[in-house]
Amino acid sequence: MTLLASHAFAPEFVHTTASPDVTLTFASGTSPITASLASGTYRMTLAPLASDYLRQLALAIQSALAVRGSYSVIASMSAFGIPSLRIVTAAGVPTGVTFAASVWKRLGYSSASPTITVVSGQIADITASRSAWNLALLTAATGEYWQPLQAGGVEQTTAGRVYAVAATATSWQRDLGVHYQPTTVAFRASQGAQATALYPDDEYFDALGSTATNREWSVLDVLYSARNALCGVSIGTWQLDRNDSSARIWRAYVGPGTLLAPALKLLKPEWLAYSEWTFALVAPSSAPSELRS
């Protein structure tokens, strides 16, 4: 049985153009075709179109393919956080693809030149083999709704008068108790969980957030990358948000109680499979939510 993911968060990260980021080869006609994604700050899936890494990469490839004819490149994200690019055309599907190192590792491909799956003469899929970096999926989380916070001070006099001096802006805080987080990569796989493993494999405890090795990231890796980074957040709506361009998502920073020293504990001390932790969020006073469109 698959344990579904319902929550997710995706910190901002910086992409630097590799020139090219993608090279596609064809059996005939104009070949190869190269495409590059503009350098900038992006988020993985939980972002508006202009800053969605996967969708912008798909658009860059589609634009480059226009010299060959009419092509559509469709980006999608599975419930497990595994990206896929589908190429639809009557002008000939590619026979080979090569991604720049920063791209194929971040998107979870097995190598720089992953296998292209030809669905039909007009459709080809380029699907990753593991979940994308800079994206953490959570099984379940519970807690109070957003709490307002205004900077300032309040005093009450003995005469019963209350005086307040406060900023006009209101930020928002929310602490979620996360449950049934797979503890390790091995347990995530053996339990059939969609959610991201809480810990990386043992050999990567000293390399949190590192992009040097092609490996599956953990929640702790994503938290490391979330320092000083605004996150796109799905709270109970990951299954809808991941491929719905009209979905509304939250914008928040990981709160102080989680960011550097999260309190992690096993769901049951005698059972290593699942863990619990507190996910603290702080949403800005300006635009605490946004559409993916």
Side-chain angles (χ1 to χ4, degrees):
M1 181 182 70
T2 299
L3 191 61
L4 304 182
S6 59
H7 300 62
F9 68 100
E12 293 175 335
F13 60 89
V14 175
H15 169 79
T16 302
T17 301
S19 299
D21 285 320
V22 187
T23 300
L24 293 164
T25 55
F26 295 82
S28 62
T30 305
S31 180
I33 297 293
T34 61
S36 290
L37 178 60
S39 296
T41 301
Y42 296 90
R43 297 201 302 260
M44 193 64 70
T45 297
L46 296 179
L49 176 61
S51 56
D52 184 331
Y53 186 77
L54 186 59
R55 285 190 287 169
Q56 283 299 314
L57 181 64
L59 288 174
I61 296 172
Q62 180 173 292
S63 177
L65 288 171
V67 298
R68 288 183 52 91
S70 178
Y71 280 80
S72 293
V73 182
I74 304 164
S76 63
M77 183 69 75
S78 81
F80 287 83
I82 299 174
S84 184
L85 296 168
R86 166 163 285 191
I87 298 175
V88 181
T89 182
V93 297
T95 56
V97 60
T98 299
F99 293 101
S102 63
V103 177
W104 70 266
K105 291 179 182 178
R106 192 176 300 279
L107 289 180
Y109 287 103
S110 57
S111 70
S113 298
T115 301
I116 295 177
T117 301
V118 177
V119 179
S120 70
Q122 298 184 352
I123 300 174
D125 287 340
I126 311 172
T127 303
S129 57
R130 58 159 175 79
S131 56
W133 289 348
N134 302 100
L135 174 67
L137 309 185
L138 320 179
T139 302
T142 57
E144 297 296 332
Y145 203 56
W146 294 99
Q147 304 296 305
L149 176 64
Q150 291 178 312
V154 180
E155 288 292 343
Q156 178 181 333
T157 70
T158 56
R161 177 70 187 270
V162 176
Y163 291 92
V165 176
T168 57
T170 301
S171 63
W172 302 88
Q173 299 182 153
R174 191 171 185 181
D175 288 352
L176 296 171
V178 182
H179 313 286
Y180 290 97
Q181 192 78 51
T183 303
T184 67
V185 173
F187 274 116
R188 180 204 56 73
S190 67
Q191 297 297 313
Q194 291 179 349
T196 308
L198 183 58
Y199 292 87
D201 285 330
D202 298 353
E203 61 267 37
Y204 301 115
F205 268 44
D206 62 349
L208 293 180
S210 172
T211 59
T213 305
N214 180 33
R215 64 177 176 90
E216 184 174 322
W217 266 22
S218 65
V219 171
L220 291 180
D221 286 291
V222 181
L223 286 176
Y224 189 98
S225 75
R227 299 174 184 179
N228 304 308
L230 186 66
C231 301
V233 185
S234 287
I235 301 179
T237 54
W238 163 248
Q239 300 293 345
L240 170 67
D241 297 343
R242 59 191 175 88
N243 287 317
D244 183 359
S245 61
S246 64
R248 179 168 289 278
I249 58 175
W250 295 99
R251 302 169 69 245
Y253 295 91
V254 178
T258 298
L259 193 58
L260 299 183
L264 316 177
K265 64 179 182 179
L266 293 174
L267 180 65
K268 293 183 177 181
E270 68 276 14
W271 191 32
L272 186 60
Y274 293 108
S275 290
E276 296 183 323
W277 57 288
T278 299
F279 185 29
L281 293 169
V282 179
S285 58
S286 177
S289 69
E290 63 189 354
L291 295 174
R292 287 192 69 238
S293 55

